Amino acid sequence: MSKPEWIKKCSAIWKTLKVHKSGWVFMTPVDAEKLGIPDYHIVIKRPMDLGTIKSNMDKGVITSPSQFKENVLLVFQNAMQYNPEQHDVHLMAKALREHFLSKWEPQEAAITEKWRVHQDGGGVVMPSSSGKRQLETDVINENTPMSYEEKRELSANMNKLPGKKVGHVITLIHEKNPKVVMQNGEDPDEIEIDINLLDNATLRYLESMVRENFAKKKKRAA
């Protein structure tokens, strides 16, 4: 399953933070016990780190550019709030914040527009051998085994879902079986989902969700 274009753009900006000379400092959650700062979680109410942000993007937890921006800025805001102004971590956080904004602000409008287009169902569509075959409207028992052809059609139709639905699908599948959701080895901005590893009840649930979305979209167009 191809990631939405807005996610790819956010990921590209995230990567510039990762490779920054100070980026490693903010890649993992703050280990208050190991660092000997027992008051950290008293002062910082919403801990955040760059690694968690990337994981949340991959899982579909982050569902908009504004949420991505808020999370990234939170990382640096926390570091600057907890550490004194002349502390190395405070200075590194300030520099990375400026670096992020220099990359983000020129692209924010375009990224937001890509997100809006995807919310309206303008995502990438995978080719389906089912062609113009319409979704069947009859109710299928969740225990009815899904055929190879039905799985191909489901995979294709999931890519037609708007952004929020895609994020929900990825989160649902990851919760059911984390091994099903994988990054493409050749392109880390692509997510691969092996639906053959999903149980039949989950497949039928996804099928009904796709069917419901298409029905609502058709009704709005009428």
Side-chain angles (χ1 to χ4, degrees):
M1 180 181 290
S2 177
K3 288 183 180 180
E5 285 299 315
W6 72 269
I7 283 283
K8 292 182 180 180
K9 294 292 185 182
C10 289
S11 294
I13 294 175
W14 180 90
K15 287 175 183 176
T16 71
L17 299 173
K18 179 183 178 182
V19 301
H20 190 279
K21 64 180 181 180
S22 301
W24 65 273
V25 176
F26 307 98
M27 284 303 299
T28 57
V30 171
D31 189 333
E33 183 177 353
K34 183 178 180 180
L35 295 173
I37 46 176
D39 65 336
Y40 182 80
H41 292 289
I42 297 175
V43 177
I44 302 302
K45 304 301 183 183
R46 293 178 58 205
M48 185 54 63
D49 63 277
L50 296 177
T52 296
I53 291 173
K54 185 62 168 67
S55 177
N56 286 342
M57 283 197 292
D58 291 341
K59 295 176 184 177
V61 176
I62 291 179
T63 58
S64 71
S66 60
Q67 190 179 3
F68 169 73
K69 176 185 178 182
E70 178 188 358
N71 276 255
V72 173
L73 291 178
L74 180 61
V75 175
F76 308 131
Q77 177 185 322
N78 287 345
M80 293 168 67
Q81 178 183 346
Y82 186 79
N83 297 281
E85 287 188 9
Q86 299 307 314
H87 193 283
D88 286 346
V89 173
H90 183 109
L91 295 173
M92 287 187 285
K94 185 176 181 180
L96 263 177
R97 183 180 185 277
E98 292 175 357
H99 169 81
F100 169 70
L101 290 175
S102 73
K103 298 291 184 181
W104 177 261
E105 290 178 346
Q107 302 183 63
E108 184 171 11
I111 293 174
T112 301
E113 181 59 27
K114 288 181 181 296
W115 171 75
R116 286 173 179 163
V117 169
H118 192 74
Q119 291 297 102
D120 292 335
V124 177
V125 179
M126 292 173 58
S128 171
S129 61
S130 59
K132 297 182 180 179
R133 177 184 172 190
Q134 296 181 340
L135 287 172
E136 297 176 2
T137 57
D138 56 312
V139 178
I140 301 176
N141 188 287
E142 69 173 22
N143 294 318
T144 305
M146 185 170 279
S147 68
Y148 173 76
E149 183 64 27
E150 286 178 308
K151 289 179 181 179
R152 284 181 62 88
E153 185 171 3
L154 175 61
S155 179
N157 286 323
M158 283 195 300
N159 280 276
K160 300 177 184 178
L161 293 172
K164 285 186 179 180
K165 290 288 186 180
V166 171
H168 176 67
V169 165
I170 294 173
T171 301
L172 171 68
I173 292 175
H174 189 270
E175 289 175 350
K176 291 286 185 180
N177 188 344
K179 295 181 180 179
V180 175
V181 181
M182 302 169 290
Q183 281 191 326
N184 187 312
E186 297 180 356
D187 185 353
D189 286 329
E190 296 288 324
I191 290 180
E192 294 182 347
I193 296 178
D194 187 353
I195 64 175
N196 292 312
L197 298 178
L198 288 171
D199 62 273
N200 208 69
T202 301
L203 289 172
R204 290 301 181 189
Y205 173 79
L206 291 172
E207 182 184 46
S208 65
M209 187 173 70
V210 169
R211 188 177 293 162
E212 180 182 357
N213 181 77
F214 283 5
K216 288 180 179 179
K217 189 174 181 180
K218 185 176 181 180
K219 186 177 181 180
R220 287 197 301 267

